[in-house]
Amino acid sequence: MGIDDSAWWQRGAIYQIYPRSFFDSNGDGIGDLDGIRRKLGHLVELGVDAAWISPFFPSPMADFGYDVADYCGVDPLFGTLADFDALIAEAHRLGLRIILDFVPNHTSDQHPWFLESRQGRESAKRDWYIWRDPAPDGGPPNNWMSNFGGSAWAFDAASGQYYYHAFLREQPDLNWRNPAVQDAMMEALRFWLERGVDGFRVDVIWHLVKDALFRDNPPNPGYGPGQPDINRFQQIRSTDQPEVFDIIARMRATLAAYGDRVLIGEIYLPVERLVAYYGERLEGVHLPFNFQLIAASWHARGLDEMIDEYERAIPEGGWPNWVLGNHDQKRIAGRLGAAQARVAAMLLLTLRGTPTIYYGDELGLPNVPVPPELAQDPWEKNEPGLGVGRDPARAPMRWNDSPRAGFTTGTPWLPIGPQPELNVATEAADPRSMLALHRRLLALRRAHPALAVGGYERIEAEGDLLAYRRREGGEVLTVVLNLSAREESLDLPAPAGGWRCLVSTGLDREGPEPAGPLRLRPDEGVVLAEG
Ligand code: NOJ
């Protein structure tokens, strides 16, 4: 594929905004839509192409917006529909696309549909959710566990039945086998498509359909003490059912009626199952989120195999993508340390496929420690002490080095955290900062079709060096990454005109390289051109 026949979501980079934590325009300590609008300039200077905004719909906020009470509105905490319209208009004026977070697997228990459904067995909306009789002993209908701890079944004493919730009991799962549910949810998609959104990231899309017979999940042999409840069983009956693909195709067709919009699926599955979500005839999601860099152990030998395996698994015509972090995971700088996080950024932004950058990772933000009494995340509260809490990666964005980081004039909903020097203003003034590196790499992607859309070829390397070529038209770029804290060298035959370094993670190595083996300093990565 050449740059001219690529789609915007193929050649571009996506930036995830967690709206509570981006910029607070009204001093209540919580970010909002107007705050995002005012900070779009940051995305433009960074060089990303689209913003995916986590949910801002009316919600009791039991799971911070992933419990939706109205699919077609804006929670007052985040502003109004008029604020949204202003945000999207300004984004489009700046050449940025807006991707919404669609949460179709479950609603809030306060959604009018669920309120009606739980009125009783005769309710017209009873079958919009998943209601089952108790097991013969009166307990839950089967062994399915909630992702946030405990059984996934909540008992409703009034009707004597249980309802299923894969997440909190305040997040009842919709029954996607019911065509009326499908129709209503396609309407919700159209509501936002009419308002001009450029696509959707679909929450837990592999969860939508459950086993028709509600059979037990088998035990997980890898489960042991100290692990969260969800690890007790393999989720093979409660997720990833073949009937889901028709539903995804219906979503895709709904988007297709509006032209060039993107459908992204949140899917945590092994690669061979993940790629099924492209659809047999590519009628599935455009991008099944690829989280392998989050789970991978950080060694070149292993990562190279993983990348190859992924490249091989992608169906003809499917487009790869890569993710380093999101609002559910520990931050990359915390996982790898500041120096290696720069190498990870170079990997993310030079692999073949659409990169998604999690807000704040472009600054190298750490995981912010949150004392138990300030914990917000319901998962942490349900299963304390296991390290499952997601608050540390959700701390406020830092705009300057003031005590509230320029995020709010009020009390931030989560602590700002240590290392105040990691902020946009300070890093924008430092030509070697993490922010400068991100800007440089994103600019390089835009300038070089080989990086944006070119092919991927692994280069055999040893030790902790990861090396590959990206090729498009006549251009070949070579990427060499040192995943270790030792010096490493690679004996790679130099092209006729020698190597020319386009960028190093240190931002201090540009121009012709000396003859002889390529030398990489500890935690250094380079992008090289020929001659
Ligand atoms: C996945 C989302 O990313 C996560 O934040 C949320 O808690 C669950 N889905 C439930 O919606």
Side-chain angles (χ1 to χ4, degrees):
M1 177 181 62
I3 198 85
D4 293 334
D5 43 321
S6 63
W8 62 268
W9 50 267
Q10 291 175 311
R11 58 181 178 270
I14 300 172
Y15 183 83
Q16 182 191 353
I17 293 177
Y18 195 66
R20 292 183 77 85
S21 300
F22 201 57
F23 182 59
D24 171 17
S25 72
N26 64 357
D28 64 359
I30 294 173
D32 44 56
L33 293 184
D34 205 43
I36 296 174
R37 183 181 60 78
R38 293 202 214 169
K39 293 296 188 185
L40 288 175
H42 172 64
L43 278 65
V44 172
E45 284 172 55
L46 184 58
V48 295
D49 300 83
W52 147 35
I53 308 175
S54 284
F56 51 75
F57 316 107
S59 164
M61 304 290 166
D63 189 20
F64 295 108
Y66 284 95
D67 47 326
V68 178
D70 172 5
Y71 285 99
C72 303
V74 172
D75 193 279
L77 202 56
F78 294 120
T80 63
L81 265 177
D83 291 334
F84 177 77
D85 290 339
L87 163 61
I88 198 161
E90 178 66 357
H92 287 166
R93 194 183 68 76
L94 293 170
L96 295 166
R97 317 270 177 159
I98 296 291
I99 298 169
L100 298 201
D101 207 317
F102 186 52
V103 189
N105 179 68
H106 43 269
T107 68
S108 161
D109 64 348
Q110 299 307 307
H111 195 294
W113 299 340
F114 188 70
L115 295 178
E116 191 181 337
S117 184
R118 78 178 310 166
Q119 300 244 304
R121 296 185 186 217
E122 303 313 317
S123 159
K125 292 230 163 38
R126 189 65 167 181
D127 194 37
W128 281 45
Y129 291 84
I130 298 173
W131 292 96
R132 308 287 292 170
D133 288 332
D137 67 356
N142 66 22
N143 71 358
W144 297 359
M145 303 301 288
S146 157
N147 280 263
F148 292 149
S151 169
W153 294 96
F155 189 60
D156 175 57
S159 65
Q161 285 192 311
Y162 284 86
Y163 67 86
Y164 176 67
H165 58 91
F167 294 87
L168 298 173
R169 62 185 302 133
E170 294 88 348
Q171 294 168 295
D173 278 45
L174 281 164
N175 175 16
W176 272 86
R177 293 181 185 270
N178 181 342
V181 167
Q182 297 185 19
D183 293 346
M185 294 302 270
M186 295 308 135
E187 258 327 293
L189 286 175
R190 280 191 285 268
F191 175 85
W192 293 106
L193 289 163
E194 293 286 343
R195 288 195 118 79
V197 309
D198 298 289
F200 298 90
R201 170 268 190 192
V202 184
D203 192 67
V204 295
I205 202 167
W206 85 110
H207 271 259
L208 293 185
V209 183
K210 317 1 167 165
D211 179 43
L213 302 176
F214 290 90
R215 286 167 287 189
D216 277 352
N217 279 320
N220 171 13
Y223 175 75
Q227 293 187 30
D229 279 347
I230 190 60
N231 288 7
R232 287 174 189 268
F233 302 99
Q234 303 171 54
Q235 315 297 308
I236 62 166
R237 304 274 191 219
S238 48
T239 68
D240 193 26
Q241 299 299 301
E243 297 92 332
V244 77
F245 297 107
D246 284 346
I247 291 168
I248 297 174
R250 197 169 166 199
M251 289 181 186
R252 174 78 177 262
T254 301
L255 265 68
Y258 291 82
D260 206 9
R261 321 283 168 116
V262 69
L263 191 64
I264 305 173
E266 185 206 23
I267 303 157
Y268 286 90
L269 283 175
V271 69
E272 66 278 7
R273 291 299 313 144
L274 177 70
V275 296
Y277 284 75
Y278 285 105
E280 253 172 39
R281 292 170 306 283
L282 297 181
E283 77 286 26
V285 295
H286 294 106
L287 302 174
F289 260 151
N290 167 21
F291 298 124
Q292 294 182 91
L293 290 176
I294 291 175
S297 85
W298 205 252
H299 297 289
R301 305 285 75 71
L303 278 182
D304 54 2
E305 280 301 320
M306 181 268 273
I307 297 166
D308 271 5
E309 194 197 326
Y310 176 61
E311 282 277 346
R312 278 195 302 268
I314 293 169
E316 176 90 37
W319 184 249
N321 78 92
W322 297 94
V323 181
L324 274 183
N326 61 39
H327 64 292
D328 295 326
Q329 305 292 339
K330 302 285 181 284
R331 280 200 181 268
I332 187 72
R335 300 199 317 259
L336 300 181
Q340 196 54 222
R342 296 174 77 105
V343 178
M346 183 173 275
L347 177 68
L348 174 72
L349 297 176
T350 59
L351 279 171
R352 188 175 85 95
T354 308
T356 299
I357 300 172
Y358 183 49
Y359 87 95
D361 280 354
E362 78 277 26
L363 305 174
L365 288 192
N367 291 308
V368 170
V370 176
E373 65 279 11
L374 293 182
Q376 303 280 340
D377 179 16
W379 192 7
E380 173 65 22
K381 291 183 185 175
N382 282 354
E383 298 190 275
L386 300 184
V388 296
R390 298 170 295 173
D391 293 330
R394 297 177 175 180
M397 179 66 173
R398 313 228 190 125
W399 300 100
N400 60 42
D401 65 1
S402 69
R404 288 172 236 183
F407 162 69
T408 181
T409 54
T411 306
W413 77 287
L414 279 173
I416 302 289
Q419 295 177 277
E421 70 284 4
L422 301 177
N423 69 76
V424 174
T426 304
E427 295 195 33
D430 172 1
R432 302 216 174 135
S433 66
M434 182 71 150
L435 178 60
L437 176 64
H438 277 81
R439 288 179 177 176
R440 180 84 186 93
L441 288 168
L442 285 159
L444 210 62
R445 275 183 79 90
R446 281 203 179 148
H448 295 272
L451 287 180
V453 298
Y456 169 92
E457 290 160 34
R458 166 170 163 183
I459 297 173
E460 291 304 328
E462 289 180 355
D464 238 340
L465 286 182
L466 193 64
Y468 45 92
R469 276 185 208 96
R470 301 292 314 282
R471 187 191 298 271
E472 170 61 20
E475 187 180 41
V476 183
L477 296 182
T478 300
V479 181
V480 186
L481 305 171
N482 183 357
L483 272 54
S484 80
R486 296 173 308 276
E487 233 178 73
E488 296 265 6
S489 71
L490 181 67
D491 213 352
L492 196 62
W499 296 113
R500 185 163 45 88
C501 186
L502 295 180
V503 59
S504 135
T505 47
L507 293 170
D508 56 355
R509 172 172 175 171
E510 272 181 36
E513 288 283 315
L518 288 166
R519 296 199 183 285
L520 278 280
R521 291 169 290 177
D523 301 302
E524 185 180 31
V526 291
V527 181
L528 304 165
E530 306 196 335

